[in-house]
Amino acid sequence: MKSNLLKKEHKKITKQESRTQPNWKGKLDVENKARIEEIKAIDNWARQENDARKTEIANLDNFAHTENDARKAEIAAIDQFSKAENEGRKSDIAALNQRCDAEQVARDAEDKAINERIEKEIRDRENAVSELQSRMDSQNDDKARELEELRQRMMKENTFLNALATKTMSVYFDAYRNKAYDGGGEENLTFNGSLCNVGSGLDVDSGIFTAPVGGMYFFMFHIATHDNKKALLSIRKNGDEIASIFDQNHKDNHKNSMAGQTIIIDCQRGDEIVVYAYTGTWLTDFPMNHYTHWVGMLLKPNEEEVNMLRKSVEEGVDPCAPAASVENGLE
């Protein structure tokens, strides 16, 4: 580095000298020597400085080597520490992995147990719901069956009540005569026709009413007496006299008179009710004037008939079906 500086300085001086005139040559030599001395001084100074720099560089190199060795030692220590820490971290990581695996296995076992428990709960709930649904369906069927039975009972009860109401007035008749009676008596009074005969209990030809239904009956009999003739009749039940009718004109009264009788009696099914004419009975009747009327009507069926009605309803028979009836017009 110093030789380069000297060479540059020498070239500079040479250039300056070459610019001077030749007569200045002596002066230039003096100056040249001075410059040479200066150069030597500078070269000595540069050498000293170079040696100082070398010393400094050597010191710096020693310091750098010392620092480098220290850093190498520190790096080696750090490397060992890092390796030790790395091994420790590896051990920790391996332990953590083992712990995680164990935790995972435990979680899997817990999940499996929970899933099995949930599935069991779901199955139990489904079975409970199915059982409840079955019970509800069974109860609904029972309730529907009970409702149907109740409906059937109500229908039967309604049919029974309708039948009972209908049976109360289901038997009635009104028979008449259209000609005078002069048969002499001791016989059942017969009739020539009927205005109505619901229940077909009355036989107008024989005059016998046979009760088709047991119960309380209303009977009414009206007649018109013949001139100067008596009328002696009775209402009989199964041959026993229940009520009588008596009327007889006086010798000074040649006009007809009206007589009648009304009774309410209890009859059993099959009982025979008749109007019986005694000896000497005469009655007045004409085709257009029906004085004689034999009327009967069922007021209320008895308990036996009510039970028979209920039994018929329970057996599915409708007692309200229209009963046979005979209604004859006037002849």
Side-chain angles (χ1 to χ4, degrees):
M1 181 181 291
K2 290 182 178 181
S3 61
N4 290 332
L5 291 173
L6 291 174
K7 287 180 181 180
K8 288 181 180 180
E9 188 65 25
H10 180 71
K11 288 180 179 181
K12 182 178 179 182
I13 294 172
T14 303
K15 287 181 180 180
Q16 290 176 353
E17 289 177 352
S18 62
R19 293 174 183 173
T20 62
Q21 295 180 359
N23 56 356
W24 296 91
K25 186 177 178 181
K27 189 178 179 178
L28 291 173
D29 291 335
V30 175
E31 289 291 330
N32 186 35
K33 289 179 180 181
R35 298 288 86 77
I36 290 171
E37 291 297 329
E38 291 177 358
I39 289 168
K40 287 181 179 181
I42 291 171
D43 182 63
N44 291 328
W45 178 82
R47 289 179 182 276
Q48 291 176 358
E49 287 293 323
N50 188 37
D51 291 337
R53 296 293 84 76
K54 286 181 178 180
T55 302
E56 291 177 356
I57 289 169
N59 291 333
L60 288 173
D61 183 64
N62 291 330
F63 176 76
H65 280 89
T66 303
E67 287 293 322
N68 187 39
D69 292 337
R71 296 294 84 77
K72 285 182 178 179
E74 290 177 357
I75 291 170
I78 291 172
D79 183 61
Q80 290 178 356
F81 175 76
S82 297
K83 288 180 178 180
E85 288 294 321
N86 188 40
E87 294 297 330
R89 296 296 80 76
K90 285 182 178 180
S91 299
D92 293 340
I93 291 171
L96 287 173
N97 287 331
Q98 291 179 354
R99 182 179 175 183
C100 289
D101 292 339
E103 290 289 331
Q104 183 65 37
V105 172
R107 293 294 84 76
D108 291 341
E110 290 178 358
D111 290 342
K112 182 179 180 181
I114 290 173
N115 289 332
E116 290 177 352
R117 181 179 176 183
I118 291 174
E119 290 177 356
K120 183 178 182 299
E121 289 289 334
I122 291 174
R123 286 195 302 270
D124 293 341
R125 293 298 173 276
E126 289 177 348
N127 293 333
V129 169
S130 178
E131 182 180 357
L132 181 60
Q133 185 66 40
S134 298
R135 288 176 57 190
M136 290 177 63
D137 292 341
S138 177
Q139 291 178 356
N140 288 335
D141 293 339
D142 292 341
K143 291 297 179 288
R145 185 165 50 254
E146 290 175 0
L147 288 174
E148 179 62 22
E149 291 175 355
L150 180 60
R151 188 182 70 84
Q152 293 293 336
R153 288 200 302 270
M154 291 180 64
M155 289 179 63
K156 289 180 179 180
E157 189 67 20
N158 186 53
T159 301
F160 166 72
L161 293 175
N162 287 335
L164 187 60
T166 303
K167 281 288 184 179
T168 303
M169 301 292 289
S170 63
V171 179
Y172 53 90
F173 65 88
D174 185 352
Y176 62 87
R177 289 182 59 84
N178 57 15
K179 62 182 179 179
Y181 174 75
D182 56 0
E186 303 304 329
E187 63 182 354
N188 294 336
L189 186 67
T190 60
F191 302 91
N192 303 117
S194 64
L195 298 178
C196 60
N197 188 14
V198 176
S200 302
L202 178 65
D203 182 3
V204 295
D205 295 330
S206 66
I208 299 174
F209 171 75
T210 303
V213 176
M216 298 301 295
Y217 279 85
F218 169 85
F219 292 103
M220 182 176 62
F221 183 62
H222 276 272
I223 60 170
T225 60
H226 201 281
D227 290 341
N228 295 318
K229 300 294 182 180
K230 69 176 182 180
L232 181 56
L233 304 103
S234 64
I235 300 174
R236 292 185 174 188
K237 172 185 172 184
N238 297 327
D240 296 328
E241 186 172 322
I242 303 299
S244 299
I245 300 171
F246 175 76
D247 188 272
Q248 185 172 3
N249 288 333
H250 298 283
K251 292 182 180 180
D252 56 350
N253 183 2
H254 299 288
K255 295 181 179 179
N256 303 96
S257 61
M258 298 293 293
Q261 183 65 273
T262 301
I263 61 171
I264 296 176
I265 60 174
D266 184 16
C267 296
Q268 299 297 321
R269 184 186 291 254
D271 284 350
E272 293 184 352
I273 312 299
V274 299
V275 177
Y276 187 81
Y278 289 94
T279 302
T281 297
W282 287 62
L283 303 177
T284 300
D285 276 293
F286 300 97
M288 299 303 295
N289 298 315
H290 306 288
Y291 299 118
T292 301
H293 278 274
W294 170 225
V295 176
M297 180 171 59
L298 173 64
L299 298 178
K300 180 182 179 181
N302 58 23
E303 185 176 354
E304 183 180 355
E305 293 292 336
V306 171
N307 292 334
M308 291 176 64
L309 281 177
R310 186 176 293 279
K311 182 178 179 182
S312 297
V313 171
E314 293 296 330
E315 292 175 353
V317 178
D318 185 6
C320 293
S325 62
V326 176
E327 295 187 2
N328 299 326
L330 296 177
E331 295 182 359

